[in-house]
Amino acid sequence: MIDLETRPAPVPDRPGPLRRAAPALLGYAAVRVLGLAVLACWSAARGKSALTLLTARWDSVWYSGVAERGYGRVVRLPNGDVHSDLAFFPLLPWLERLGAAVSPLSHGTAGLVVSLLASLAAAWGIFAVAEQLYGGRAAVGAVLLWAVLPVGIVQSMAYSESLFTALAAWSLYAVLTGRWVTAGALASLAGLTRPVGLAVTAAVWAAGIAALAGSRRADPPLSGTRARARCLAGLLLAPLGAAGYVLWVGHRTGRGAFGYLDVQAGWRNGFDGGAAFARFTAALFTSFPSALAGAALTAGVGLLLWLFGICVRRGQPLALLVYSGTVTVLALCASSYFGSKPRLLLPAFPLLLPLAVALAGARVPRAALVVGGAAAVSAVYGAFWLNGSGPP
């Protein structure tokens, strides 16, 4: 007889997104706390303030200045360069102004709080993307690898890298899960954060066009008129942030669409296809001590290209390939500020996914040793870097 009272055993609910990401976020926070602790000790030993290094040096001064006084600051250097704060996109200063308005924090310290919170959001976004593609263990590895990058201390500065990476990662996750309007809206916000927001827009557009065209590279594919309409809406939203700011700068400078390019030229920054960077690297090989730096730099570029090649061969989704490829090209082909290139590459987290998959396949003690060692090196290097030349 059939026992009508017998019920199937309940299937345990899958943990929620935050609970699944919790180990990665805790590990990420531990790496960042280590980096900040080493920075505080190193700075104190040199009679410097770690808080000042994180909030009131280099670009963070420009961001907090925009937040406090609005745009309009211009610095004319003896060599004729003209540095205008119009080079800095507005989303971080807006958030700094909001933070200072609702709290007793200064604009710079509010920027640090924004960056710290955004770095956690970025770590969660990286986890979500990696988990969607490769599973939970690889996702934890991806977050930890991003945390222990040599210039990872920038994630804890009043800079826009963490905010941008958070918006980019969640926009890419929205693409991977077919949430096109969300992807477009986040891409638009990324375009208000940094010039490299172009990479997020390009990723959304590439994936969206492939989906609308019914390409086999489309993942997920579109089904139905409403899905296609949402995809089109996302494509229309994606470029609005960057386009709006660039057009506003053009209007303010009276140079139209070329206004922002003129501002960047004042900083001696532009796109030359990598020619200046190649000359800079070649020049390092003219003497023995600097030749070591040249060899390391060449090896680093080779590693980036090798990782991108692996991503292509393993069939990484189109949106991620376009995003990381564009970030890499824009960073390496900029004509100035060669020392800042590692920082500019920080948002290119999809390049870490092959390494994260390899880390997930390793035994736990070995993986812990690799991550722990890298975290220690990153913490020491970050403290040394900020107490020296720092990120330009």
Side-chain angles (χ1 to χ4, degrees):
M1 295 180 62
I2 300 175
D3 185 359
L4 299 179
E5 295 297 318
T6 301
R7 293 178 174 83
V11 178
D13 293 333
R14 188 188 186 199
L18 182 56
R19 186 174 175 184
R20 297 199 306 273
L25 297 180
L26 290 173
Y28 176 80
V31 173
R32 292 273 46 85
V33 167
L34 174 64
L36 292 173
V38 172
L39 174 65
C41 295
W42 192 302
S43 302
R46 293 175 58 88
K48 294 184 179 181
S49 165
L51 183 61
T52 299
L53 294 174
L54 294 171
T55 64
R57 294 288 305 276
W58 307 291
D59 288 4
S60 45
V61 174
W62 289 90
Y63 282 119
S64 61
V66 172
E68 185 175 0
R69 299 179 297 274
Y71 285 101
R73 182 187 177 198
V74 175
V75 176
R76 301 182 185 277
L77 302 183
N79 65 356
D81 290 351
V82 179
H83 289 184
S84 167
D85 57 11
L86 292 172
F88 297 89
F89 278 51
L91 186 57
L92 178 58
W94 288 345
L95 294 175
E96 289 183 350
R97 184 178 300 173
L98 176 62
V102 300
S103 73
L105 300 176
S106 67
H107 291 88
T109 306
L112 177 61
V113 172
V114 170
S115 185
L116 292 174
L117 294 176
S119 69
L120 288 171
W124 190 3
I126 292 169
F127 178 90
V129 169
E131 183 192 40
Q132 179 75 13
L133 297 175
Y134 305 112
R137 288 196 66 180
V140 172
V143 171
L144 295 179
L145 288 173
W146 190 66
V148 302
L149 289 173
V151 293
I153 190 65
V154 175
Q155 299 163 15
S156 301
M157 296 179 67
Y159 269 45
S160 60
E161 274 77 8
S162 289
L163 179 61
F164 174 78
T165 305
L167 294 168
W170 284 108
S171 179
L172 292 172
Y173 177 73
V175 169
L176 295 178
T177 54
R179 296 174 172 88
W180 292 101
V181 174
T182 300
L186 291 173
S188 185
L189 290 174
L192 282 171
T193 308
R194 296 185 61 80
V196 76
L198 170 66
V200 191
T201 298
V204 173
W205 272 67
I209 291 172
L212 289 169
S215 168
R216 59 187 179 86
R217 289 301 307 268
D219 184 22
L222 296 177
S223 58
T225 303
R226 292 185 63 184
R228 296 176 70 85
R230 288 194 293 269
C231 181
L232 284 170
L235 297 187
L236 292 174
L237 282 171
L240 293 184
Y245 181 68
V246 168
L247 291 174
W248 179 79
V249 170
H251 174 74
R252 185 178 175 106
T253 59
R255 287 280 293 154
F258 297 99
Y260 188 75
L261 296 178
D262 290 344
V263 169
Q264 286 285 10
W267 287 79
R268 296 204 176 197
N269 201 13
F271 186 89
D272 66 354
F277 184 46
R279 290 194 298 269
F280 171 78
T281 304
L284 293 175
F285 288 95
T286 57
S287 62
F288 172 69
S290 64
L292 297 176
L297 189 57
T298 302
V301 173
L303 176 62
L304 289 174
L305 298 178
W306 178 68
L307 288 174
F308 186 75
I310 293 177
C311 293
V312 172
R313 290 195 300 272
R314 293 186 178 178
Q316 201 172 88
L318 181 62
L320 271 64
L321 292 176
V322 171
Y323 169 74
S324 58
T326 305
V327 171
T328 302
V329 168
L330 291 177
L332 296 182
C333 296
S335 60
S336 188
Y337 297 102
F338 306 113
S340 68
K341 293 193 183 296
R343 173 173 67 86
L344 299 179
L345 287 164
L346 193 64
F349 70 89
L351 295 178
L352 299 173
L353 296 182
L355 299 177
V357 172
L359 190 65
R363 294 186 177 183
V364 172
R366 179 175 297 180
L369 182 62
V370 169
V371 172
V377 172
S378 176
V380 171
Y381 180 74
F384 169 78
W385 193 39
L386 291 196
N387 278 277
S389 62

